[in-house]
Amino acid sequence: MGLPASAILNDDDLDLLLSESFRLYGYDFTNYTRASLKRRINRLMIIDRFPSFAELLHRVKHDPHYWSRVVEELTVNVTEMFRDPQSFRIIRETIIPLLAPHPFIRIWHAGCASGEEVYSMAIMLEEAGLLHKSLLYATDLNPAAVDNVRRGIFPISLMKQYSENYLLSGGKKDFSSYYTAKYDWAKLDERFTAKMIAATHNLVSDKSFNEFHLVICRNVLIYFDKDLQDKVLSLFDDSLVSQGFLILGSKENIRYSSIAIKYTQWAQKEKIWQKTM
Amino acid sequence: MGAERKDLAKDNVKPYRLVVIGGSAGSLETILQIVGSLPAGTDASYVIVVHRKNTGDSILTELLSGRTDLRVREIEDKEPIIPGTVYVAPPDYHLLVENENEFSLDSSEKVQFSRPSIDVTFESVALAFGPAAIVVLLSGANADGADGIIRVMEAGGYSIVQDPQTADMAMMPKQAIDRSEVNAVLSPSEIGPHIRSLLTRTPRLKSPPEE
C-alpha cells in the first residue's frame, strides 16, 4: 500500500472535494478533522485505483452513485460489540440500574455505525429485565450502516472476540444464545431489533428529535473540530432529560465545550457525564 | 530573529520539532532507555507509538514517567503538541497529527494488523512536519513502519532504525532497512545520544516555554 508522494492529497485538493460534496450532495464535511479526512481519501484512491486526485474528483462530480461509496469510506464504520468492555461494565453496573425506575426508557446511539453497540446495549437491558420498556434510537450519517443495524447480521468470525468482550463486560450468559449462526454470518435475535428505531441522521446539519435518558456517541467526536464538537454537544444537551447521561469514547471529553458547566463526570477515568443542571 | 534565520540557512541545519518512536514486540526496554536520555529545553516534542493490548490502565505512562523529568501524557482527543513533552499514543486508536500544534485520533480499521499503526502516524507526521520530523523504528515482529519511514524521508525528515542484530525481533527494523536508505542504523544505547545531538546542534529559534 502507499501512494507515490506526488499523488498524496494536498489541502487545496481537500478543500475542492469538500466544497463540491456540499454543493452537489448537501454533505458538509468542512468541520471534520483534516488529517483523518486526507487519510480516508488517500485510502479510497488506493482501493479504487484512481491514478490522480483529478480523476477522483471527476467521478464524484458526475456519478451520484459513486458518491454514496465515498460517504461510506469517509465515515468510519469500525465498531465492535462491547468494545471497551470495562466501559460497558460500568454502564451495566452503575447506569442501567438508575434507568430502571423510568416507566419508559429512551436511549440514543448517535453515530452508531453498523450497530454493534446498539445490540450490546439491548442485551444488557434484557439481562436487567428492562428491554420490554426500552426504545433504542440508532442513527448514523451513512444509510448503508443504518440498513445494517436493521438487519442485525454480523460476520461469524467476530463472535469469538465479541463473546470475550461480553464476558469482560460482566455478562454471565452464553453469548451464543443471542444469535443464530448461518454459514459465515450471525444474526442477532429479532427481539432486540424490534426495540430499535434505526434512521439516518447527520449530526452536522440535523436537529434534536426527542428527549433521551441516555445518549451514547463513542469515537465520533474525534473526527470533528472543536467548533463542530461544541455544536454537536449542544445538540446532545438539548436531547437529554435532566439527570440524563452522556457517554463518549475513551479519549473524548466535554471539558472544553460550552455544555461542560451543566454536567458532572460520573466516574473517575470513565467518559460518562450526568446532566446535573 | 532575522540574524538567527540567516545562520540557519548558512549552516543548513533544520530545527527538529517532533521525534516519533515506533516500537512493537521487544521494544519496551529500548524505549525506556531512549526516553531516559531525551533532552529538555529544546523545541522538540516526543511521541511514543507502541503496539500493545488495551488493558485500560496507564502502566506504560507510569513506567516512562519514572525514567524522565519531562512531562509524560497519554494522548486524548485534540491534545495540543507542546515542546518538552513525551506523548504516548493510546491503545486502540491510530494517532495522527492534525497540524504542527495538535494531535488527532482515529478509530478506523487496523493497518498492518495494528491500531495504533506506526505507518499511519509516520505518514501523518511526514505531511504535517516534513523536514522537522525525526522518526525512530525499533524491534518488532511485523512490517509496520517501513512504508511510513519512506514517506518521512520523501518529506525531508530524518530516520533512525534499531540495528536488527540488537533487536529481540529483527523483522520490523529489517523491513525498513531493506526498503529505504535510512539515515542511521544504531544499537539501543546509541539512539538516545544520537537524537540528543540532532536536537541540540540546532540553534534554538526561541527560548523554551515557561511551565
Side-chain angles (χ1 to χ4, degrees), chain A:
Chain A
M1 84 161 267
L3 284 171
S6 58
I8 287 177
L9 197 75
N10 64 38
D11 281 290
D12 292 343
D13 295 338
L14 181 60
D15 287 335
L16 192 56
L17 184 70
L18 298 187
S19 67
E20 288 299 304
S21 92
F22 186 57
R23 187 177 68 86
L24 294 167
Y25 303 109
Y27 281 87
D28 186 358
F29 287 109
T30 43
N31 287 91
Y32 278 54
T33 56
R34 298 178 71 88
S36 202
L37 276 181
K38 280 186 194 166
R39 199 178 149 246
R40 304 302 299 175
I41 295 165
N42 281 327
R43 183 173 176 277
L44 181 68
M45 284 171 62
I46 294 167
I47 296 173
D48 288 356
R49 299 166 188 269
F50 286 101
S52 71
F53 173 72
E55 282 165 80
L56 169 69
L57 187 67
H58 185 269
R59 182 85 184 269
V60 165
K61 282 162 85 165
H62 297 96
D63 184 352
H65 190 69
Y66 186 72
W67 170 250
S68 51
R69 163 150 177 82
V70 176
V71 170
E72 269 173 55
E73 281 302 314
L74 290 193
T75 55
V76 172
N77 298 306
V78 178
T79 175
E80 286 173 21
M81 290 190 75
F82 299 95
R83 184 176 185 172
D84 255 336
Q86 193 54 34
S87 300
F88 275 92
R89 180 184 280 272
I90 301 267
I91 296 168
R92 183 195 285 279
E93 291 173 357
T94 72
I95 304 292
I96 288 181
L98 294 175
L99 301 178
H102 295 294
F104 197 72
I105 301 167
R106 282 187 305 274
I107 297 174
W108 181 17
H109 291 261
C112 66
S114 39
E116 282 85 335
E117 289 196 351
V118 194
Y119 282 92
S120 309
M121 183 65 74
I123 287 171
M124 293 198 302
L125 287 165
E126 183 180 83
E127 292 180 355
L130 301 174
L131 186 65
H132 67 283
K133 59 168 183 172
S134 301
L135 205 47
L136 298 104
Y137 290 72
T139 66
D140 199 89
L141 167 70
N142 176 5
V146 172
D147 286 343
N148 210 69
V149 179
R150 293 192 187 115
R151 280 194 299 269
I153 295 174
F154 305 103
I156 192 95
S157 57
L158 299 176
M159 290 300 138
K160 183 169 173 290
Q161 175 69 46
Y162 293 177
S163 177
E164 285 168 18
N165 287 356
Y166 165 77
L167 293 173
L168 287 169
S169 81
K172 297 204 167 43
K173 305 227 164 152
D174 176 5
F175 183 70
S176 65
S177 67
Y178 291 127
Y179 61 83
T180 318
K182 196 170 185 186
Y183 304 110
D184 294 336
W185 301 93
K187 180 170 172 43
L188 273 292
D189 197 281
E190 282 178 6
R191 68 182 187 271
F192 302 120
T193 321
K195 291 295 179 181
M196 296 173 193
I197 296 177
T200 57
H201 180 278
N202 188 339
L203 291 168
V204 177
S205 50
D206 292 338
K207 296 199 163 42
S208 171
F209 54 93
N210 209 329
E211 275 210 318
F212 299 94
H213 303 100
L214 174 58
V215 173
I216 301 182
C217 182
R218 299 173 82 213
N219 299 320
V220 175
L221 295 181
I222 51 174
Y223 300 106
F224 297 167
D225 70 16
K226 284 177 186 154
D227 290 342
L228 182 54
Q229 285 188 352
D230 199 49
K231 188 178 149 186
V232 172
L233 286 169
S234 295
L235 170 64
F236 293 158
D237 182 45
D238 291 342
S239 310
L240 270 171
V241 301
S242 173
Q243 311 302 316
F245 292 95
L246 173 63
I247 301 179
L248 302 178
S250 63
K251 296 295 158 190
E252 295 169 326
N253 215 305
I254 67 167
R255 197 186 303 148
Y256 304 111
S257 75
S258 54
I259 72 161
I261 188 169
K262 300 160 77 173
Y263 286 76
T264 307
Q265 191 160 6
W266 180 247
Q268 195 76 34
K269 272 186 71 187
E270 293 302 320
K271 296 307 164 71
I272 302 174
W273 289 267
Q274 187 172 27
K275 184 172 179 176
T276 44
M277 271 175 69

Side-chain angles (χ1 to χ4, degrees), chain B residues 47-198:
Chain B
V47 183
I48 313 292
V49 181
V50 57
H51 299 156
R52 57 181 167 142
K53 268 217 149 67
N54 188 4
T55 48
D57 56 39
S58 50
I59 288 176
L60 180 60
T61 314
E62 285 159 19
L63 280 173
L64 291 167
S65 296
R67 297 297 182 102
T68 177
D69 291 334
L70 298 168
R71 197 171 71 118
V72 180
R73 280 192 52 83
E74 184 166 292
I75 293 166
E76 295 232 335
D77 178 40
K78 306 286 181 293
E79 183 91 33
I81 303 177
I82 296 167
T85 308
V86 178
Y87 293 98
V88 181
D92 215 22
Y93 289 90
H94 293 304
L95 174 65
L96 306 176
V97 289
E98 184 66 8
N99 53 49
E100 291 184 20
N101 306 311
E102 195 175 287
F103 292 106
S104 76
L105 298 174
D106 179 310
S107 72
S108 60
E109 53 283 281
K110 294 180 177 182
V111 175
Q112 303 275 14
F113 310 102
S114 308
R115 189 172 54 222
S117 143
I118 299 167
D119 274 337
V120 168
T121 303
F122 281 4
E123 283 168 15
S124 176
V125 164
L127 282 176
F129 281 84
I134 299 171
V135 294
V136 183
L137 193 66
L138 305 175
S139 169
N142 55 63
D144 197 12
D147 279 329
I149 279 200
I150 294 171
R151 298 287 163 254
V152 168
M153 295 186 63
E154 282 169 351
Y158 192 94
S159 59
I160 300 170
V161 175
Q162 180 177 0
D163 183 346
Q165 293 192 331
T166 69
D168 282 357
M169 298 288 171
M171 183 176 171
M172 204 162 83
K174 191 167 181 312
Q175 283 283 327
I177 293 167
D178 287 351
R179 295 185 43 205
S180 53
E181 292 286 322
V182 300
N183 294 106
V185 178
L186 302 172
S187 70
S189 62
E190 293 168 326
I191 296 174
H194 193 73
I195 294 171
R196 181 184 277 269
S197 73
L198 289 170

